């Protein structure tokens, strides 16, 4: 069963224009990728392992179980996956307890989406407890609901999170625009059939059909998002 935190009334999407915007959290709206890496390096250091920076690009943006599994493999630690995930989550929450910085343009974009009445959801691979902490900085009122990685059987890069979010909003995936910062998130959104705006964080992302790449959220506004769906004129939304 997929649960979420409802914070504003969700109204059904309609028409063939932009029906919803689905936003990733870490590295897209909130500048947390470096904080996650700090939490991981600190936890593994406590166990006597020094993480090489080369692994940062591998683990950032992926599901936590996959990321931690990779670090377990390269370090040979005897700690279990469950133990490490709890320890990293706890360390991360301690680091962001005083608030997490938003990415440039994030606050303005959320405000603009709300002003235009665009149904908006937060779709993250992070766990529910982490998202709830982040909402103190992001503002829960900016989202119709939020979907966490531990509330769905298969998270990113599978299409399930974005398919579930679109369905909850009554929107056709092809009429949704997803904003992501990693290849993992982009793969999930594209597998779901959504239009994608990529704002690369650590790893470059190339433009592709149905995918626009921008330098920051400062380049993203409602008219731009609407144009991405209008451009897809050959998609049958019925």
């Amino acid at each position: 069963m997929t649960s979420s935190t409802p914070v504003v009334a969700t109204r059904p999407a309609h028409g063939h224009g932009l029906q919803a915007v689905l936003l990733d959290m870490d590295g897209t709206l909130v500048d947390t990728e470096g904080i996650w890496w700090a939490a991981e390096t600190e936890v593994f250091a406590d166990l006597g392992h020094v993480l090489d920076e080369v692994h940062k690009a591998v683990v950032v943006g992926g599901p936590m179980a996959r990321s931690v599994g990779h670090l377990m493999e390269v370090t040979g630690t005897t700690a279990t996956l469950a133990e490490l995930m709890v320890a990293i989550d706890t360390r991360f929450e301690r680091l962001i307890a005083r608030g997490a910085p938003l990415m440039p343009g994030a606050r303005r974009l959320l405000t603009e989406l709300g002003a235009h009445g665009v149904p908006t959801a937060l779709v993250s691979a992070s766990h529910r407890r982490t998202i709830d902490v982040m909402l103190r900085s992001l503002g829960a009122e900016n989202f119709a609901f939020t979907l966490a990685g531990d509330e769905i059987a298969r998270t990113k890069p599978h299409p399930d999170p974005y398919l579930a979010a679109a369905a909850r909003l009554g929107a056709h995936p092809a009429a949704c625009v997803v904003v992501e910062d990693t290849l993992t998130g982009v793969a999930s959104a594209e597998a779901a059939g959504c239009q994608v705006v990529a704002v690369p964080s650590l790893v470059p992302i190339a433009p592709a059909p149905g995918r626009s790449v921008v330098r920051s959220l400062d380049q993203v506004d409602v008219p731009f998002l609407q144009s991405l769906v209008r451009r897809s004129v050959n998609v049958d939304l019925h």
Side-chain angles (χ1 to χ4, degrees):
M1 176 179 177
T2 299
S3 62
S4 56
T5 302
V7 289
V8 297
T10 302
R11 58 182 176 78
H14 58 83
H16 286 206
L18 176 65
Q19 294 181 356
V21 173
L22 312 176
L23 298 158
D24 174 54
M25 185 178 72
D26 292 297
T28 299
L29 290 176
V30 190
D31 190 4
T32 56
E33 302 296 17
I35 303 175
W36 275 115
W37 179 246
E40 289 161 346
T41 55
E42 289 179 15
V43 167
F44 275 86
D46 290 345
L47 298 172
H49 304 288
V50 177
L51 297 182
D52 193 302
E53 281 280 328
V54 71
H55 300 296
K56 186 175 182 179
V58 178
V59 302
V60 165
M64 191 174 184
R66 189 191 72 184
S67 299
V68 176
H70 171 80
L71 296 176
M72 291 174 65
E73 184 177 345
V74 299
T75 60
T77 181
T78 57
T80 68
L81 178 63
E83 290 169 341
L84 288 168
M85 289 177 65
V86 169
I88 292 169
D89 261 338
T90 301
R91 190 69 57 95
F92 178 79
E93 288 168 17
R94 189 182 306 162
L95 292 174
I96 64 169
R98 298 178 214 172
L102 300 192
M103 299 297 287
R107 180 69 64 200
R108 189 267 317 152
L109 177 58
L110 290 172
T111 300
E112 185 176 344
L113 289 168
H116 283 79
V118 179
T120 303
L122 183 70
V123 182
S124 176
S126 291
H127 290 181
R128 165 55 52 198
R129 200 171 78 175
T130 300
I131 289 178
D132 288 344
V133 172
M134 287 295 189
L135 286 175
R136 300 173 196 167
S137 298
L138 282 169
E141 69 280 359
N142 289 305
F143 308 99
F145 64 89
T146 63
L147 179 62
D150 57 345
E151 294 172 340
I152 195 161
R154 299 194 308 172
T155 187
K156 306 171 187 180
H158 297 287
D160 306 36
Y162 286 116
L163 289 173
R168 169 107 184 226
L169 290 171
H172 191 289
C176 295
V177 178
V178 169
V179 185
E180 276 279 1
D181 72 306
T182 66
L183 287 167
T184 299
V186 167
S188 173
E190 291 180 343
C194 301
Q195 302 296 308
V196 177
V197 175
V199 192
S201 52
L202 295 175
V203 180
I205 300 174
R211 180 198 308 170
S212 300
V213 180
V214 299
R215 291 188 303 276
S216 82
L217 293 179
D218 285 324
Q219 297 177 265
V220 180
D221 56 20
V222 170
F224 171 65
L225 296 170
Q226 290 170 331
S227 74
L228 299 180
V229 174
R230 285 199 300 269
R231 207 179 295 168
S232 184
V233 294
N234 295 321
V235 175
D236 181 8
L237 298 182
H238 294 296

